[in-house]
Amino acid sequence: MSSQQPYSFFHSVEKSFDKAAQFTKWEKGLLEQIKACNSIYSMRFPVKMDDGRIEVIEAYRVQHSQHKTPCKGGIRFSNEVNQDEVMALAALMTYKCAIVNVPFGGGKGGIRINPRSFSAYELEKITRRYTSELVKKNFIGPGIDVPAPDYGTGEREMAWIVDTYQSLKPGEIDAAGCVTGKPVSQGGVRGRKEATGLGVFFGIREVCSMPEVMQRLGLTIGVEGKRVIVQGLGNVGYHSAKFFREHGSKIIAIAEYEGAIYNEAGLNEEEVFQHRKATGSILNFPGATNLAKSTDALETECDILIPAALENVINGENAPRVKAKIIGEAANGPLTPEADEVFASKGILVVPDMYLNAGGVTVSYFEWLKNLSHVRYGRMEKRFTENLNTHILDQIEGLTGKSVSDSERKFIKHGPEEVDLVHSGLEETMITATREIMEIWKANPAIPDMRTAAYVCAINKVGTSYTELGIFP
Ligand code: GLU
């Protein structure tokens, strides 16, 4: 692609892939297959608006890879949705799932609408119609393709999807597993909502615990006291900020469309969220300074920068002005390949999206398993564990003649709730993935950055999976 052509997100994913492919053992043909989008469903359908007008809706579902099924990935509602973007995001899902050992292929969906310009009733009609189009073409199902929330969608939309699916497939026993990110009352799992933000936190915390990495960056070990900037106060940005703050980091700036605010003493994301809800803007938050432009927050000096909104926000143009030491890609594709080059040459560590924001899909996997097993996590073992722990503690106290405090007793006794198990599964997943990627990077010093190491990790796993399928003799 020449520099005159418009930016293509899919092309930029391909570029990162190619950069990594040279560090793998796979032949060209297999690499081509891993890279390609297998199935693309581009659709148009009419929806009657509240005022009686008919609007033609443009929507997509892309299945990038079926090396493992079902395919998995969110559905976004945004005016920017186009086929190229959905293809790129579906590809990222393939690599993301491979890195965190979630046994799914990559998929993604998108509806080209600004959800703010539609009533709830109109959105419901659009979502239900989109779902029935997917059913008609066999593009959804617990063993085929399982959507989830993404930019502009959440639990409400997922509830409409599962309800539509179930009414079109009566009696399908595992139907609840046709979509994840559902409300708990509709088969969702506790801990899904905060999952991506919590995964971002676990991933960065692990990186910050690595002495050689922190030494190279000139930073102290641990997240405590680190100065963090978050761009985007949606679900992912909000929860990332929350977990960093709760673990002793300082959120010194937050950015949204309408502007950004800065406070060296630290911001509380919940208070900022409430302020924005009440006033319609993040600006003029008590005690904070307004930054002239929203993008100024990206260029403000800090330890950790978390872009948690949309793709392509840091590019060749503004990357040289970014002063963070670590960039944690909570969004999908916030950096262009040109930005990567700038950061690699400056020694800034980019912790890449396709594993760092994998918390969402990891917990989606737990939700899907819950739906297939038809039982809540913790239901079978919570009381058993509590009884056993109580018994052990009683024995120890009896034998030693000493007793622990009430709060210690409560802590030791505690049997796991669903949310405890989900958070713990996510923590294990993110720590393992971070270590695997860092091992690959360490073993091959020619790999220029962590994103390339993550791609190598993903390509190796998908390549092995294709090879073991026996398609390529
Ligand atoms: N939309 C999220 C992502 O980009 C979650 C996908 C899922 O849970 O399937 O990873």
Side-chain angles (χ1 to χ4, degrees):
M1 192 178 85
S2 83
S3 55
Q4 274 80 44
Q5 279 178 287
Y7 167 78
S8 157
F9 187 10
F10 186 65
H11 181 75
S12 115
V13 172
E14 286 190 309
K15 225 167 139 178
S16 302
F17 181 100
D18 292 340
K19 195 163 145 190
Q22 56 176 311
F23 300 104
T24 69
K25 62 176 183 190
W26 307 108
E27 60 158 294
K28 197 166 167 284
L30 179 56
L31 290 168
E32 285 302 314
Q33 173 55 51
I34 298 174
K35 213 160 64 161
C37 270
N38 288 357
S39 322
I40 301 171
Y41 179 17
S42 159
M43 67 190 99
R44 305 288 182 277
F45 52 80
V47 176
K48 202 172 227 171
M49 298 294 120
D50 292 347
D51 61 5
R53 210 170 25 90
I54 286 175
E55 192 149 325
V56 179
I57 305 293
E58 174 184 337
Y60 303 88
R61 183 76 192 172
V62 171
Q63 296 171 348
H64 173 260
S65 170
Q66 284 104 347
H67 73 286
K68 289 197 191 292
T69 45
C71 295
K72 191 82 192 78
I75 296 177
R76 66 171 52 182
F77 287 2
S78 147
N79 253 344
E80 312 301 317
V81 161
N82 57 58
Q83 187 174 314
D84 174 79
E85 181 190 67
V86 185
M87 285 167 67
L89 293 166
L92 284 174
M93 288 308 300
T94 296
Y95 309 134
K96 190 184 296 193
C97 290
I99 294 172
V100 292
N101 299 315
V102 163
F104 296 145
K108 201 77 168 199
I111 305 187
R112 191 182 173 96
I113 52 166
N114 175 0
R116 285 167 224 266
S117 345
F118 294 88
S119 69
Y121 183 52
E122 289 167 340
L123 286 174
E124 179 171 350
K125 282 204 278 188
I126 293 169
T127 310
R128 286 185 182 276
R129 178 65 191 255
Y130 175 74
T131 310
S132 62
E133 294 296 325
L134 294 179
V135 171
K136 279 191 241 167
K137 292 281 194 295
N138 224 9
F139 258 70
I140 185 171
I144 300 170
D145 189 349
V146 181
D150 198 84
Y151 189 82
T153 57
E155 287 187 350
R156 179 183 66 169
E157 288 73 17
M158 303 308 117
W160 292 332
I161 292 174
V162 72
D163 185 56
T164 309
Y165 183 87
Q166 277 168 331
S167 61
L168 293 171
K169 302 259 182 177
E172 198 180 287
I173 191 151
D174 291 328
C178 76
V179 67
T180 58
K182 303 177 293 289
V184 172
S185 62
Q186 305 300 317
V189 74
R190 289 161 188 83
R192 174 63 182 83
K193 205 168 173 185
E194 66 273 31
T196 309
L198 183 57
V200 168
F201 170 74
F202 284 144
I204 299 283
R205 186 191 65 182
E206 188 58 20
V207 167
C208 289
S209 76
M210 297 176 165
E212 66 285 10
V213 178
M214 297 312 272
Q215 201 182 0
R216 217 170 48 225
L217 295 168
L219 291 171
T220 54
I221 293 175
V223 292
E224 219 182 312
K226 293 277 179 302
R227 296 161 65 246
V228 179
I229 296 181
V230 179
Q231 183 233 7
L233 202 56
N235 179 40
V236 179
Y238 173 91
H239 284 104
S240 303
K242 176 177 189 286
F243 293 113
F244 274 103
R245 182 185 52 74
E246 286 178 354
H247 289 82
S249 306
K250 261 196 298 179
I251 311 300
I252 59 165
I254 299 181
E256 256 297 342
Y257 316 93
E258 65 274 11
I261 51 171
Y262 177 88
N263 186 347
E264 188 56 40
L267 295 157
N268 178 305
E269 74 297 327
E270 174 58 21
E271 289 169 11
V272 175
F273 183 82
Q274 290 306 336
H275 167 82
R276 187 169 190 239
K277 208 164 139 191
T279 67
S281 167
I282 199 172
L283 296 170
N284 304 321
F285 180 71
T289 315
N290 292 337
L291 298 182
K293 289 193 283 64
S294 172
T295 48
D296 287 349
L298 301 170
E299 299 170 21
T300 301
E301 201 272 318
C302 65
D303 298 318
I304 304 170
L305 173 64
I306 308 281
L310 283 176
E311 57 263 20
N312 191 21
V313 293
I314 305 179
N315 43 49
E317 193 274 315
N318 59 356
R321 297 192 297 275
V322 170
K323 297 173 198 75
K325 307 230 171 50
I326 298 175
I327 301 175
E329 292 187 309
N332 285 309
L335 271 58
T336 64
E338 292 71 31
D340 271 351
E341 311 255 307
V342 173
F343 296 136
S345 72
K346 285 171 78 175
I348 292 175
L349 178 67
V350 177
V351 186
D353 49 1
M354 61 175 182
Y355 110 89
L356 190 65
N357 68 26
V361 75
T362 301
V363 175
S364 277
Y365 170 47
F366 301 155
E367 178 175 335
W368 181 77
L369 292 174
K370 174 185 183 183
N371 295 148
L372 300 192
S373 66
H374 301 262
V375 62
R376 165 175 61 81
Y377 288 104
R379 179 167 175 178
M380 307 301 283
E381 68 268 41
K382 182 177 157 60
R383 295 287 152 188
F384 180 84
T385 308
E386 288 193 353
N387 292 341
L388 184 65
N389 290 349
T390 306
H391 185 74
I392 294 170
L393 196 55
D394 288 348
Q395 288 292 315
I396 294 173
E397 286 183 343
L399 288 168
T400 59
K402 292 182 183 156
S403 49
V404 299
S405 66
D406 282 353
S407 65
E408 270 304 318
R409 169 166 283 270
K410 206 169 147 205
F411 182 80
I412 295 169
K413 242 183 78 173
H414 178 75
E417 307 274 357
E418 181 164 83
V419 70
D420 300 321
L421 293 166
V422 164
H423 284 179
S424 150
L426 176 58
E427 184 173 11
E428 163 62 16
T429 304
M430 293 308 294
I431 291 176
T432 306
T434 311
R435 290 184 187 169
E436 270 185 42
I437 296 168
M438 287 303 196
E439 283 305 313
I440 289 174
W441 197 6
K442 219 156 84 189
N444 193 341
I447 293 178
D449 49 34
M450 194 176 172
R451 185 188 317 282
T452 309
Y455 266 96
V456 170
C457 177
I459 296 169
N460 282 341
K461 289 185 186 179
V462 182
T464 305
S465 172
Y466 266 118
T467 311
E468 284 169 359
L469 280 175
I471 300 168
F472 298 93

